[in-house]
Amino acid sequence: EITKVAVIGAGTMGSAIAQHFLMKNLDVILLDLQKDSLEKGLEGIKNSLTEAVKRRILKEEKKDSLLAGLKCTTNYNDLADREYVVEAVFENFEVKQKVFKSVEENVDGKCLIASNTSSFSITQLGSVLNKQNRFLGVHYFYHAAKNKLVELIPGNNTSTENIQKLRNFY
């Protein structure tokens, strides 16, 4: 069972995906190399949860407990215990591949790695990884915390076992 997740990129989609995981009561790390982007992403999550409280979707105590499950960081070393990492940085092929290399260098060999890309080949993106069988695309639809629809996109090297593991997770 996946309980420890991370999202790379604290922009609009990344912060919404992090909130999606928080709403599933998971232990979430939100990583962005830009501290100001991280702060903006955190603020977006807080605002969204505050709106949910105002609309009586959540109680204030639940909002507080959800936020307690979130850690923000600029350091890839903090990903060491993650079981699942989703990349949600801007659509730049080289930058995304650099992110995947950094993730793989810092996580366990069983950790699943996904991209939220909507425009690149999953097989080509994952070609830089040593363990390509654990890499796939997971396309979220905006607003990821409110819209539960996700699309799983296996690469040519993604194992059937890992696809099923994420199907069960979602």
Side-chain angles (χ1 to χ4, degrees), residues 77-104:
N77 293 333
D78 291 333
L79 303 180
D81 68 344
R82 300 294 99 178
E83 299 155 331
Y84 179 38
V85 177
V86 177
E87 166 274 319
V89 302
F90 55 94
E91 292 293 296
N92 179 297
F93 191 85
E94 290 77 24
V95 169
K96 286 179 180 290
Q97 285 193 319
K98 185 176 177 184
V99 166
F100 302 137
K101 285 182 191 178
S102 296
V103 169
E104 189 172 52

PDB file of all heavy atoms in Angstrom, residues 77-104:
ATOM      1  N   ASN A  77      17.036  15.077  -1.337  1.00  0.00           N
ATOM      2  CA  ASN A  77      17.388  14.090  -0.307  1.00  0.00           C
ATOM      3  C   ASN A  77      16.189  13.727   0.570  1.00  0.00           C
ATOM      4  O   ASN A  77      16.139  12.638   1.133  1.00  0.00           O
ATOM      5  CB  ASN A  77      18.517  14.602   0.593  1.00  0.00           C
ATOM      6  CG  ASN A  77      19.821  14.738  -0.153  1.00  0.00           C
ATOM      7  OD1 ASN A  77      20.070  14.042  -1.124  1.00  0.00           O
ATOM      8  ND2 ASN A  77      20.663  15.655   0.300  1.00  0.00           N
ATOM      9  N   ASP A  78      15.224  14.633   0.675  1.00  0.00           N
ATOM     10  CA  ASP A  78      14.045  14.389   1.508  1.00  0.00           C
ATOM     11  C   ASP A  78      13.109  13.330   0.927  1.00  0.00           C
ATOM     12  O   ASP A  78      12.151  12.909   1.580  1.00  0.00           O
ATOM     13  CB  ASP A  78      13.267  15.694   1.723  1.00  0.00           C
ATOM     14  CG  ASP A  78      14.023  16.680   2.596  1.00  0.00           C
ATOM     15  OD1 ASP A  78      14.842  16.244   3.430  1.00  0.00           O
ATOM     16  OD2 ASP A  78      13.797  17.894   2.441  1.00  0.00           O
ATOM     17  N   LEU A  79      13.382  12.871  -0.290  1.00  0.00           N
ATOM     18  CA  LEU A  79      12.522  11.891  -0.947  1.00  0.00           C
ATOM     19  C   LEU A  79      12.894  10.441  -0.617  1.00  0.00           C
ATOM     20  O   LEU A  79      12.236   9.516  -1.090  1.00  0.00           O
ATOM     21  CB  LEU A  79      12.579  12.074  -2.469  1.00  0.00           C
ATOM     22  CG  LEU A  79      12.210  13.447  -3.016  1.00  0.00           C
ATOM     23  CD1 LEU A  79      12.321  13.445  -4.534  1.00  0.00           C
ATOM     24  CD2 LEU A  79      10.825  13.861  -2.563  1.00  0.00           C
ATOM     25  N   ALA A  80      13.893  10.239   0.209  1.00  0.00           N
ATOM     26  CA  ALA A  80      14.461   8.903   0.433  1.00  0.00           C
ATOM     27  C   ALA A  80      13.432   7.837   0.805  1.00  0.00           C
ATOM     28  O   ALA A  80      13.552   6.689   0.368  1.00  0.00           O
ATOM     29  CB  ALA A  80      15.545   8.964   1.505  1.00  0.00           C
ATOM     30  N   ASP A  81      12.411   8.178   1.559  1.00  0.00           N
ATOM     31  CA  ASP A  81      11.445   7.169   2.012  1.00  0.00           C
ATOM     32  C   ASP A  81      10.148   7.138   1.195  1.00  0.00           C
ATOM     33  O   ASP A  81       9.205   6.426   1.532  1.00  0.00           O
ATOM     34  CB  ASP A  81      11.106   7.372   3.485  1.00  0.00           C
ATOM     35  CG  ASP A  81      10.318   8.650   3.738  1.00  0.00           C
ATOM     36  OD1 ASP A  81      10.283   9.542   2.860  1.00  0.00           O
ATOM     37  OD2 ASP A  81       9.714   8.766   4.832  1.00  0.00           O
ATOM     38  N   ARG A  82      10.101   7.870   0.101  1.00  0.00           N
ATOM     39  CA  ARG A  82       8.865   7.936  -0.702  1.00  0.00           C
ATOM     40  C   ARG A  82       8.631   6.640  -1.463  1.00  0.00           C
ATOM     41  O   ARG A  82       9.562   6.004  -1.927  1.00  0.00           O
ATOM     42  CB  ARG A  82       8.907   9.102  -1.696  1.00  0.00           C
ATOM     43  CG  ARG A  82       9.054  10.483  -1.053  1.00  0.00           C
ATOM     44  CD  ARG A  82       7.866  10.890  -0.224  1.00  0.00           C
ATOM     45  NE  ARG A  82       8.083  10.664   1.198  1.00  0.00           N
ATOM     46  CZ  ARG A  82       7.201  10.982   2.144  1.00  0.00           C
ATOM     47  NH1 ARG A  82       6.050  11.551   1.830  1.00  0.00           N
ATOM     48  NH2 ARG A  82       7.467  10.746   3.409  1.00  0.00           N
ATOM     49  N   GLU A  83       7.365   6.299  -1.622  1.00  0.00           N
ATOM     50  CA  GLU A  83       6.972   5.091  -2.352  1.00  0.00           C
ATOM     51  C   GLU A  83       6.457   5.419  -3.750  1.00  0.00           C
ATOM     52  O   GLU A  83       6.381   4.550  -4.606  1.00  0.00           O
ATOM     53  CB  GLU A  83       5.878   4.364  -1.563  1.00  0.00           C
ATOM     54  CG  GLU A  83       6.342   3.941  -0.192  1.00  0.00           C
ATOM     55  CD  GLU A  83       5.227   3.788   0.818  1.00  0.00           C
ATOM     56  OE1 GLU A  83       4.183   4.471   0.711  1.00  0.00           O
ATOM     57  OE2 GLU A  83       5.411   2.986   1.742  1.00  0.00           O
ATOM     58  N   TYR A  84       6.106   6.691  -3.944  1.00  0.00           N
ATOM     59  CA  TYR A  84       5.532   7.129  -5.213  1.00  0.00           C
ATOM     60  C   TYR A  84       5.833   8.612  -5.376  1.00  0.00           C
ATOM     61  O   TYR A  84       5.595   9.397  -4.468  1.00  0.00           O
ATOM     62  CB  TYR A  84       4.028   6.871  -5.190  1.00  0.00           C
ATOM     63  CG  TYR A  84       3.258   7.285  -6.421  1.00  0.00           C
ATOM     64  CD1 TYR A  84       3.766   7.147  -7.704  1.00  0.00           C
ATOM     65  CD2 TYR A  84       1.971   7.805  -6.284  1.00  0.00           C
ATOM     66  CE1 TYR A  84       3.030   7.515  -8.819  1.00  0.00           C
ATOM     67  CE2 TYR A  84       1.219   8.167  -7.396  1.00  0.00           C
ATOM     68  CZ  TYR A  84       1.752   8.023  -8.658  1.00  0.00           C
ATOM     69  OH  TYR A  84       1.020   8.386  -9.758  1.00  0.00           O
ATOM     70  N   VAL A  85       6.379   8.985  -6.536  1.00  0.00           N
ATOM     71  CA  VAL A  85       6.720  10.383  -6.822  1.00  0.00           C
ATOM     72  C   VAL A  85       6.101  10.775  -8.163  1.00  0.00           C
ATOM     73  O   VAL A  85       6.267  10.061  -9.157  1.00  0.00           O
ATOM     74  CB  VAL A  85       8.257  10.588  -6.877  1.00  0.00           C
ATOM     75  CG1 VAL A  85       8.596  12.026  -7.257  1.00  0.00           C
ATOM     76  CG2 VAL A  85       8.906  10.210  -5.553  1.00  0.00           C
ATOM     77  N   VAL A  86       5.406  11.908  -8.164  1.00  0.00           N
ATOM     78  CA  VAL A  86       4.795  12.431  -9.384  1.00  0.00           C
ATOM     79  C   VAL A  86       5.492  13.735  -9.755  1.00  0.00           C
ATOM     80  O   VAL A  86       5.577  14.657  -8.936  1.00  0.00           O
ATOM     81  CB  VAL A  86       3.286  12.694  -9.202  1.00  0.00           C
ATOM     82  CG1 VAL A  86       2.688  13.318 -10.460  1.00  0.00           C
ATOM     83  CG2 VAL A  86       2.554  11.414  -8.847  1.00  0.00           C
ATOM     84  N   GLU A  87       5.974  13.805 -10.980  1.00  0.00           N
ATOM     85  CA  GLU A  87       6.587  15.032 -11.504  1.00  0.00           C
ATOM     86  C   GLU A  87       5.511  15.889 -12.156  1.00  0.00           C
ATOM     87  O   GLU A  87       4.707  15.389 -12.943  1.00  0.00           O
ATOM     88  CB  GLU A  87       7.672  14.637 -12.520  1.00  0.00           C
ATOM     89  CG  GLU A  87       8.179  15.766 -13.387  1.00  0.00           C
ATOM     90  CD  GLU A  87       7.313  15.988 -14.621  1.00  0.00           C
ATOM     91  OE1 GLU A  87       6.878  15.015 -15.247  1.00  0.00           O
ATOM     92  OE2 GLU A  87       7.085  17.179 -14.941  1.00  0.00           O
ATOM     93  N   ALA A  88       5.505  17.168 -11.812  1.00  0.00           N
ATOM     94  CA  ALA A  88       4.535  18.107 -12.376  1.00  0.00           C
ATOM     95  C   ALA A  88       5.200  19.453 -12.646  1.00  0.00           C
ATOM     96  O   ALA A  88       4.696  20.506 -12.262  1.00  0.00           O
ATOM     97  CB  ALA A  88       3.340  18.270 -11.435  1.00  0.00           C
ATOM     98  N   VAL A  89       6.364  19.432 -13.282  1.00  0.00           N
ATOM     99  CA  VAL A  89       7.047  20.673 -13.635  1.00  0.00           C
ATOM    100  C   VAL A  89       6.588  21.114 -15.025  1.00  0.00           C
ATOM    101  O   VAL A  89       5.861  20.396 -15.703  1.00  0.00           O
ATOM    102  CB  VAL A  89       8.593  20.525 -13.575  1.00  0.00           C
ATOM    103  CG1 VAL A  89       9.035  20.091 -12.179  1.00  0.00           C
ATOM    104  CG2 VAL A  89       9.126  19.569 -14.621  1.00  0.00           C
ATOM    105  N   PHE A  90       7.011  22.287 -15.443  1.00  0.00           N
ATOM    106  CA  PHE A  90       6.597  22.824 -16.744  1.00  0.00           C
ATOM    107  C   PHE A  90       7.048  21.915 -17.882  1.00  0.00           C
ATOM    108  O   PHE A  90       7.960  21.107 -17.740  1.00  0.00           O
ATOM    109  CB  PHE A  90       7.098  24.258 -16.926  1.00  0.00           C
ATOM    110  CG  PHE A  90       8.583  24.423 -16.740  1.00  0.00           C
ATOM    111  CD1 PHE A  90       9.436  24.380 -17.824  1.00  0.00           C
ATOM    112  CD2 PHE A  90       9.122  24.624 -15.473  1.00  0.00           C
ATOM    113  CE1 PHE A  90      10.804  24.518 -17.664  1.00  0.00           C
ATOM    114  CE2 PHE A  90      10.489  24.762 -15.299  1.00  0.00           C
ATOM    115  CZ  PHE A  90      11.333  24.706 -16.402  1.00  0.00           C
ATOM    116  N   GLU A  91       6.394  22.052 -19.024  1.00  0.00           N
ATOM    117  CA  GLU A  91       6.595  21.141 -20.159  1.00  0.00           C
ATOM    118  C   GLU A  91       7.902  21.425 -20.909  1.00  0.00           C
ATOM    119  O   GLU A  91       7.906  22.040 -21.968  1.00  0.00           O
ATOM    120  CB  GLU A  91       5.400  21.222 -21.116  1.00  0.00           C
ATOM    121  CG  GLU A  91       4.113  20.658 -20.541  1.00  0.00           C
ATOM    122  CD  GLU A  91       4.157  19.156 -20.312  1.00  0.00           C
ATOM    123  OE1 GLU A  91       4.272  18.398 -21.293  1.00  0.00           O
ATOM    124  OE2 GLU A  91       4.087  18.737 -19.140  1.00  0.00           O
ATOM    125  N   ASN A  92       8.995  20.949 -20.339  1.00  0.00           N
ATOM    126  CA  ASN A  92      10.304  21.032 -20.965  1.00  0.00           C
ATOM    127  C   ASN A  92      10.951  19.655 -20.828  1.00  0.00           C
ATOM    128  O   ASN A  92      11.210  19.194 -19.710  1.00  0.00           O
ATOM    129  CB  ASN A  92      11.163  22.106 -20.290  1.00  0.00           C
ATOM    130  CG  ASN A  92      12.539  22.211 -20.891  1.00  0.00           C
ATOM    131  OD1 ASN A  92      13.333  21.269 -20.834  1.00  0.00           O
ATOM    132  ND2 ASN A  92      12.851  23.365 -21.453  1.00  0.00           N
ATOM    133  N   PHE A  93      11.161  18.987 -21.949  1.00  0.00           N
ATOM    134  CA  PHE A  93      11.633  17.605 -21.973  1.00  0.00           C
ATOM    135  C   PHE A  93      12.908  17.410 -21.162  1.00  0.00           C
ATOM    136  O   PHE A  93      12.997  16.506 -20.330  1.00  0.00           O
ATOM    137  CB  PHE A  93      11.843  17.177 -23.433  1.00  0.00           C
ATOM    138  CG  PHE A  93      12.064  15.709 -23.621  1.00  0.00           C
ATOM    139  CD1 PHE A  93      10.986  14.843 -23.725  1.00  0.00           C
ATOM    140  CD2 PHE A  93      13.349  15.192 -23.707  1.00  0.00           C
ATOM    141  CE1 PHE A  93      11.183  13.478 -23.899  1.00  0.00           C
ATOM    142  CE2 PHE A  93      13.549  13.833 -23.881  1.00  0.00           C
ATOM    143  CZ  PHE A  93      12.465  12.974 -23.980  1.00  0.00           C
ATOM    144  N   GLU A  94      13.908  18.249 -21.400  1.00  0.00           N
ATOM    145  CA  GLU A  94      15.200  18.105 -20.723  1.00  0.00           C
ATOM    146  C   GLU A  94      15.078  18.339 -19.222  1.00  0.00           C
ATOM    147  O   GLU A  94      15.698  17.634 -18.426  1.00  0.00           O
ATOM    148  CB  GLU A  94      16.244  19.048 -21.331  1.00  0.00           C
ATOM    149  CG  GLU A  94      16.684  18.678 -22.737  1.00  0.00           C
ATOM    150  CD  GLU A  94      15.680  19.046 -23.826  1.00  0.00           C
ATOM    151  OE1 GLU A  94      14.844  19.970 -23.627  1.00  0.00           O
ATOM    152  OE2 GLU A  94      15.688  18.375 -24.881  1.00  0.00           O
ATOM    153  N   VAL A  95      14.300  19.322 -18.840  1.00  0.00           N
ATOM    154  CA  VAL A  95      14.108  19.605 -17.414  1.00  0.00           C
ATOM    155  C   VAL A  95      13.428  18.411 -16.735  1.00  0.00           C
ATOM    156  O   VAL A  95      13.837  17.977 -15.655  1.00  0.00           O
ATOM    157  CB  VAL A  95      13.297  20.904 -17.204  1.00  0.00           C
ATOM    158  CG1 VAL A  95      12.874  21.062 -15.743  1.00  0.00           C
ATOM    159  CG2 VAL A  95      14.107  22.113 -17.655  1.00  0.00           C
ATOM    160  N   LYS A  96      12.405  17.866 -17.388  1.00  0.00           N
ATOM    161  CA  LYS A  96      11.706  16.714 -16.820  1.00  0.00           C
ATOM    162  C   LYS A  96      12.670  15.535 -16.652  1.00  0.00           C
ATOM    163  O   LYS A  96      12.680  14.877 -15.603  1.00  0.00           O
ATOM    164  CB  LYS A  96      10.513  16.318 -17.698  1.00  0.00           C
ATOM    165  CG  LYS A  96       9.342  17.284 -17.580  1.00  0.00           C
ATOM    166  CD  LYS A  96       8.192  16.858 -18.480  1.00  0.00           C
ATOM    167  CE  LYS A  96       7.010  17.786 -18.381  1.00  0.00           C
ATOM    168  NZ  LYS A  96       6.288  17.712 -17.116  1.00  0.00           N
ATOM    169  N   GLN A  97      13.484  15.258 -17.647  1.00  0.00           N
ATOM    170  CA  GLN A  97      14.430  14.155 -17.529  1.00  0.00           C
ATOM    171  C   GLN A  97      15.443  14.386 -16.413  1.00  0.00           C
ATOM    172  O   GLN A  97      15.812  13.454 -15.698  1.00  0.00           O
ATOM    173  CB  GLN A  97      15.133  13.902 -18.863  1.00  0.00           C
ATOM    174  CG  GLN A  97      14.228  13.210 -19.867  1.00  0.00           C
ATOM    175  CD  GLN A  97      14.993  12.670 -21.055  1.00  0.00           C
ATOM    176  OE1 GLN A  97      15.899  13.315 -21.574  1.00  0.00           O
ATOM    177  NE2 GLN A  97      14.622  11.477 -21.479  1.00  0.00           N
ATOM    178  N   LYS A  98      15.852  15.622 -16.237  1.00  0.00           N
ATOM    179  CA  LYS A  98      16.761  15.957 -15.137  1.00  0.00           C
ATOM    180  C   LYS A  98      16.086  15.673 -13.792  1.00  0.00           C
ATOM    181  O   LYS A  98      16.707  15.148 -12.867  1.00  0.00           O
ATOM    182  CB  LYS A  98      17.183  17.426 -15.244  1.00  0.00           C
ATOM    183  CG  LYS A  98      18.209  17.850 -14.235  1.00  0.00           C
ATOM    184  CD  LYS A  98      18.644  19.285 -14.459  1.00  0.00           C
ATOM    185  CE  LYS A  98      19.619  19.701 -13.373  1.00  0.00           C
ATOM    186  NZ  LYS A  98      20.015  21.094 -13.471  1.00  0.00           N
ATOM    187  N   VAL A  99      14.803  16.026 -13.699  1.00  0.00           N
ATOM    188  CA  VAL A  99      14.041  15.746 -12.481  1.00  0.00           C
ATOM    189  C   VAL A  99      14.010  14.243 -12.213  1.00  0.00           C
ATOM    190  O   VAL A  99      14.256  13.792 -11.092  1.00  0.00           O
ATOM    191  CB  VAL A  99      12.600  16.311 -12.589  1.00  0.00           C
ATOM    192  CG1 VAL A  99      11.694  15.747 -11.490  1.00  0.00           C
ATOM    193  CG2 VAL A  99      12.616  17.833 -12.527  1.00  0.00           C
ATOM    194  N   PHE A 100      13.729  13.435 -13.234  1.00  0.00           N
ATOM    195  CA  PHE A 100      13.633  11.984 -13.051  1.00  0.00           C
ATOM    196  C   PHE A 100      14.960  11.400 -12.573  1.00  0.00           C
ATOM    197  O   PHE A 100      14.976  10.518 -11.714  1.00  0.00           O
ATOM    198  CB  PHE A 100      13.180  11.287 -14.338  1.00  0.00           C
ATOM    199  CG  PHE A 100      11.863  11.785 -14.852  1.00  0.00           C
ATOM    200  CD1 PHE A 100      11.681  12.019 -16.195  1.00  0.00           C
ATOM    201  CD2 PHE A 100      10.818  12.051 -13.992  1.00  0.00           C
ATOM    202  CE1 PHE A 100      10.471  12.484 -16.682  1.00  0.00           C
ATOM    203  CE2 PHE A 100       9.597  12.522 -14.457  1.00  0.00           C
ATOM    204  CZ  PHE A 100       9.428  12.744 -15.813  1.00  0.00           C
ATOM    205  N   LYS A 101      16.060  11.891 -13.140  1.00  0.00           N
ATOM    206  CA  LYS A 101      17.377  11.421 -12.696  1.00  0.00           C
ATOM    207  C   LYS A 101      17.596  11.762 -11.222  1.00  0.00           C
ATOM    208  O   LYS A 101      18.070  10.932 -10.447  1.00  0.00           O
ATOM    209  CB  LYS A 101      18.486  12.057 -13.535  1.00  0.00           C
ATOM    210  CG  LYS A 101      18.621  11.491 -14.923  1.00  0.00           C
ATOM    211  CD  LYS A 101      19.790  12.180 -15.621  1.00  0.00           C
ATOM    212  CE  LYS A 101      19.852  11.875 -17.088  1.00  0.00           C
ATOM    213  NZ  LYS A 101      20.948  12.586 -17.756  1.00  0.00           N
ATOM    214  N   SER A 102      17.253  12.982 -10.837  1.00  0.00           N
ATOM    215  CA  SER A 102      17.419  13.402  -9.437  1.00  0.00           C
ATOM    216  C   SER A 102      16.536  12.584  -8.504  1.00  0.00           C
ATOM    217  O   SER A 102      16.959  12.211  -7.410  1.00  0.00           O
ATOM    218  CB  SER A 102      17.097  14.893  -9.289  1.00  0.00           C
ATOM    219  OG  SER A 102      18.010  15.669 -10.024  1.00  0.00           O
ATOM    220  N   VAL A 103      15.318  12.312  -8.940  1.00  0.00           N
ATOM    221  CA  VAL A 103      14.419  11.486  -8.126  1.00  0.00           C
ATOM    222  C   VAL A 103      15.019  10.098  -7.957  1.00  0.00           C
ATOM    223  O   VAL A 103      15.142   9.588  -6.839  1.00  0.00           O
ATOM    224  CB  VAL A 103      13.007  11.400  -8.743  1.00  0.00           C
ATOM    225  CG1 VAL A 103      12.159  10.330  -8.042  1.00  0.00           C
ATOM    226  CG2 VAL A 103      12.306  12.753  -8.674  1.00  0.00           C
ATOM    227  N   GLU A 104      15.407   9.465  -9.077  1.00  0.00           N
ATOM    228  CA  GLU A 104      15.927   8.101  -9.016  1.00  0.00           C
ATOM    229  C   GLU A 104      17.170   8.000  -8.131  1.00  0.00           C
ATOM    230  O   GLU A 104      17.357   6.994  -7.434  1.00  0.00           O
ATOM    231  CB  GLU A 104      16.232   7.578 -10.419  1.00  0.00           C
ATOM    232  CG  GLU A 104      16.559   6.087 -10.415  1.00  0.00           C
ATOM    233  CD  GLU A 104      16.666   5.495 -11.797  1.00  0.00           C
ATOM    234  OE1 GLU A 104      17.419   6.047 -12.630  1.00  0.00           O
ATOM    235  OE2 GLU A 104      15.996   4.484 -12.051  1.00  0.00           O
TER     236      GLU A 104
END
